[in-house]
Amino acid sequence: MIETIKPMDIEKRSFEIITEMLGDRTFEPQNEPVIKRVIHTTADFDYADHLVFSENAVAKGIEALRSGCDIVTDTEMAKAGINKRILGKLGGTVHCFMSDPDVAAEAKRRGVTRAIVSMEHAAGLSKPCIFAIGNAPTALFALNHLIEEGKLSPVLIVGVPVGFVNVVESKELIIRSGTPHIVARGRKGGSNVAAAICNAMLYQIMR
């Protein structure tokens, strides 16, 4: 039997179903909205177990967003999915350098991925940044290298690339790095997950 729900109540009902299906599971209060938002986006309850949060990662992300930090992504899809209206009200901007002609040219000349060059370009931004990586593990490798060299100090790394080549390794590197992070352990992830995590923090600010 089809459940009749008004359009504006669909999301609310979806979160009620998620809560019901999680049953007795309990989470850190600051992490719970992020976990549920990712499950809502993916319909995948594995994220209840696979999302890894460094200490106070969500609180640090929210504090930075309140202060007008920017977000850097590795895909136009993640950029499109992040709520730019709320971010803009807070004084922030979303950046994705992957399609920039100079990034493509430099990557080709050096024989590296555009994701690597994009992260290097992002290191030149003047504002504090959250990095939301949903596709390219090489972006996480580049971020770790830039951090080790003292060229970058991310407010938070959302490390959720999806795939099979170097994905698990890149995520574990970020978990071990000591940088504030929210990581989807294993092979699962994606640009939609990166955007969902950012939005979960933004919605907590504007609720």
Side-chain angles (χ1 to χ4, degrees):
M1 186 174 180
I2 297 175
E3 189 174 0
T4 302
I5 305 176
K6 295 178 180 179
M8 66 284 294
D9 292 332
I10 291 173
E11 182 174 292
K12 179 183 177 183
R13 179 59 184 139
S14 294
F15 277 91
E16 289 172 351
I17 292 169
I18 290 167
T19 300
E20 291 167 7
M21 293 185 69
L22 285 169
D24 295 334
R25 294 290 302 272
T26 58
F27 308 97
E28 290 286 339
Q30 64 174 335
N31 299 343
E32 184 172 349
V34 175
I35 293 167
K36 289 183 176 178
R37 176 66 57 180
V38 172
I39 293 172
H40 176 262
T41 298
T42 62
D44 188 343
F45 282 82
D46 283 352
Y47 285 104
D49 298 305
H50 294 173
L51 284 176
V52 177
F53 299 81
S54 62
E55 187 175 1
N56 295 320
V58 175
K60 290 174 182 177
I62 289 174
E63 181 182 0
L65 290 166
R66 284 187 189 276
S67 300
C69 80
D70 286 353
I71 298 175
V72 177
T73 79
D74 66 330
T75 66
E76 292 293 336
M77 180 180 173
K79 180 179 178 181
I82 291 169
N83 192 313
K84 289 172 283 296
R85 180 182 62 81
I86 297 177
L87 184 64
K89 284 184 177 181
L90 298 169
T93 301
V94 184
H95 304 276
C96 180
F97 301 112
M98 294 289 285
S99 299
D100 290 7
D102 57 335
V103 168
E106 183 177 346
K108 184 177 181 180
R109 177 179 60 80
R110 290 167 51 188
V112 298
T113 67
R114 284 182 294 165
I116 290 174
V117 179
S118 292
M119 296 304 108
E120 292 170 352
H121 278 227
L125 293 172
S126 59
K127 293 177 67 177
C129 290
I130 291 172
F131 287 81
I133 309 303
N135 182 68
T138 53
L140 295 184
F141 287 126
L143 287 175
N144 186 71
H145 183 66
L146 290 164
I147 292 165
E148 288 182 339
E149 288 192 332
K151 295 179 179 178
L152 185 64
S153 183
V155 171
L156 175 70
I157 296 177
V158 176
V160 294
V162 59
F164 297 92
V165 179
N166 292 326
V167 168
V168 173
E169 294 83 356
S170 68
K171 293 174 179 179
E172 293 300 321
L173 191 66
I174 296 303
I175 291 171
R176 295 194 303 268
S177 71
T179 300
H181 60 265
I182 302 172
V183 169
R185 211 165 210 156
R187 301 190 186 282
K188 292 184 178 182
S191 297
N192 59 334
V193 176
I197 291 170
C198 293
N199 287 338
M201 293 186 289
L202 288 168
Y203 296 155
Q204 287 190 68
I205 295 170
M206 300 303 289
R207 66 186 174 187

